[in-house]
Amino acid sequence: VIAVAAAFGLGSLVTAAFLRKKSQNVQFPATAASKTTAPIVYPHYDLENKPKESFLKLNDMLIQEILDELPQNYNLPPRQVEYLQNMLHYTIEGGKMNRGLMVVNAGVSILGKKLSNTDICRLAVLGWTIEWLQAWLLVADDIMDSSVTRRGQPCWYKTLGDAWYIAINDAVTIESFVYKIIKRHFSHDSKLLLQLLDLVMETTLQTELGQLSDTLCDVLDLSDLTPSRWQLIVTYKTAFYSFYLSVAFAMAYAGIPDKAAYDAARTILIEMGVYFQAQDDYLDCFATPEVLGKVGTDIADKKCGWLFTKAYHELASPSQRAFLDEHYGKCKVGSPEEKKIKELYKELGLVQMYEEYEQASYDKIMALKHSEAGATLQAAGVPWQVFETFLEKVYKRSK
């Protein structure tokens, strides 16, 4: 009872510290717009009854803010503005929005449901910056992987025909807009603004280093695609931006200053992100395109995936390994060779092995509630509910 009361008291202190924060508006004279943008008016956010619909409204607002400013302060002609409008809606929308919604969920769990509408909307804005980050990473990733579909429709670069290379600029343009959004919505608090920008820049670097480790597999031998390399790739390419960033954003917005709390959250969320990517690798191979929303290409793309590293380095016989040497990363999607590799995975017992891995990962993550990391977070006012909610969103997902 004393421990619970103490945890509640600490959580209350976090809320109180958040409510006492003094705004320190920051100015940017070197880049100040020549024409003043319209003041921010947030829509009503119905957290109880229409959380997803309310979240989606915030994205419409963010896109419109960008589109309104482009002709005013960047002299962008109407045709280019229209192009960007279509591009932003096409590339950002249509996902599950787990990353973005978790910023709101985590923020509410930490600070309580008595947050103002402005606070909830600002948490949602941070959530959308992750969704925009995800969008530009996927646009670039689809080009590098020669992917065909994404979220049940042609990849963005595929819609541009012979001018597909324009999508490269589109990707980095979306990234630039992320910083624009953060600057516009959080300049009222200079300390918070710096923390948010630092988080996004660090996470982007981590993700790009993970992407580098992934794409370099194209020029490596299959023997170099090891389980340890897979662990490196998925930690940096996926786990930081897909899991840690959502909760770290909410913690920063709540004003939590304790480095140990962020370290503890990172420990739990990286574990979750690694499991998520193993799940993604499995679904790429065995889920249908109709369910997955895209055509799986990992075998044709020579990906250093969970299934491959287990098969090649731990389970395959010499003859089976020789078949992988001859065809992995050299066959086409839907070819007899690709189908044979999928059958080989089944023969090696990888379906059952994955199911056991998935349950073991879930149990391991849930056990962290009672670990030193869990205790550190509880003391900092970050309830375990934040992590359990995130895990339930991805556990045994089908797409």
Side-chain angles (χ1 to χ4, degrees), residues 58-269:
L58 261 294
N59 190 48
D60 292 336
M61 186 191 82
L62 296 176
I63 292 176
Q64 195 57 52
E65 286 177 349
I66 293 288
L67 298 177
D68 289 345
E69 188 178 358
L70 292 175
Q72 288 183 34
N73 295 315
Y74 297 93
N75 301 314
L76 208 66
R79 190 171 179 179
Q80 277 91 314
V81 174
E82 183 181 1
Y83 173 85
L84 287 175
Q85 180 179 26
N86 293 333
M87 183 272 289
L88 290 172
H89 283 291
Y90 194 97
T91 58
I92 295 167
E93 297 169 357
K96 294 181 287 294
M97 304 182 295
N98 284 339
R99 298 167 180 84
L101 287 166
M102 268 311 301
V103 181
V104 180
N105 293 342
V108 171
S109 294
I110 295 168
L111 291 165
K113 292 186 178 181
K114 292 184 179 180
L115 288 170
S116 69
N117 186 73
T118 295
D119 288 322
I120 297 172
C121 286
R122 283 175 176 162
L123 287 166
V125 168
L126 289 175
W128 276 112
T129 64
I130 302 178
E131 296 296 325
W132 287 48
L133 172 64
Q134 157 90 338
W136 86 258
L137 290 169
L138 292 182
V139 170
D141 193 57
D142 286 342
I143 297 170
M144 285 183 273
D145 289 346
S146 301
S147 297
V148 179
T149 56
R150 170 73 63 182
R151 295 172 174 170
Q153 60 186 0
C155 296
W156 173 246
Y157 82 96
K158 284 286 188 182
T159 69
L160 302 177
D162 292 339
W164 61 267
Y165 48 83
I166 296 174
I168 299 171
N169 189 69
D170 293 337
V172 295
T173 300
I174 300 171
E175 181 191 13
S176 298
F177 288 155
V178 168
Y179 298 103
K180 194 76 175 172
I181 291 169
I182 293 174
K183 178 181 175 181
R184 173 169 167 78
H185 288 266
F186 298 96
S187 292
H188 64 279
D189 186 331
S190 57
K191 183 178 179 181
L192 176 60
L193 176 66
L194 287 173
Q195 289 178 324
L196 298 176
L197 289 173
D198 175 61
L199 258 172
V200 174
M201 289 189 292
E202 181 68 12
T203 304
T204 300
L205 175 60
Q206 289 163 332
T207 306
E208 287 306 301
L209 293 176
Q211 180 72 5
L212 174 65
S213 298
D214 182 28
T215 54
L216 282 177
C217 291
D218 289 348
V219 296
L220 296 177
D221 294 332
L222 292 188
S223 59
D224 296 316
L225 308 190
T226 60
S228 62
R229 186 176 186 86
W230 175 82
Q231 185 84 17
L232 173 70
I233 291 170
V234 303
T235 298
Y236 282 88
K237 182 180 176 181
T238 302
F240 279 105
Y241 96 90
S242 293
F243 288 84
Y244 176 64
L245 183 57
S246 298
V247 178
F249 262 166
M251 291 171 66
Y253 190 79
I256 294 174
D258 187 6
K259 179 181 180 297
Y262 289 93
D263 291 343
R266 188 184 303 110
T267 296
I268 296 168
L269 293 161

Side-chain angles (χ1 to χ4, degrees), residues 265-283:
R266 188 184 303 110
T267 296
I268 296 168
L269 293 161
I270 294 304
E271 191 73 41
M272 207 178 294
V274 170
Y275 154 63
F276 174 85
Q277 189 58 54
Q279 188 181 54
D280 211 54
D281 294 347
Y282 178 85
L283 292 173

Side-chain angles (χ1 to χ4, degrees), residues 2-3 75 83 102 110 175 277 308 331 357 369 378 394:
I2 294 173
N75 301 314
Y83 173 85
M102 268 311 301
I110 295 168
E175 181 191 13
Q277 189 58 54
F308 171 78
C331 58
Y357 167 84
K369 176 180 181 178
Q378 188 76 3
V394 299

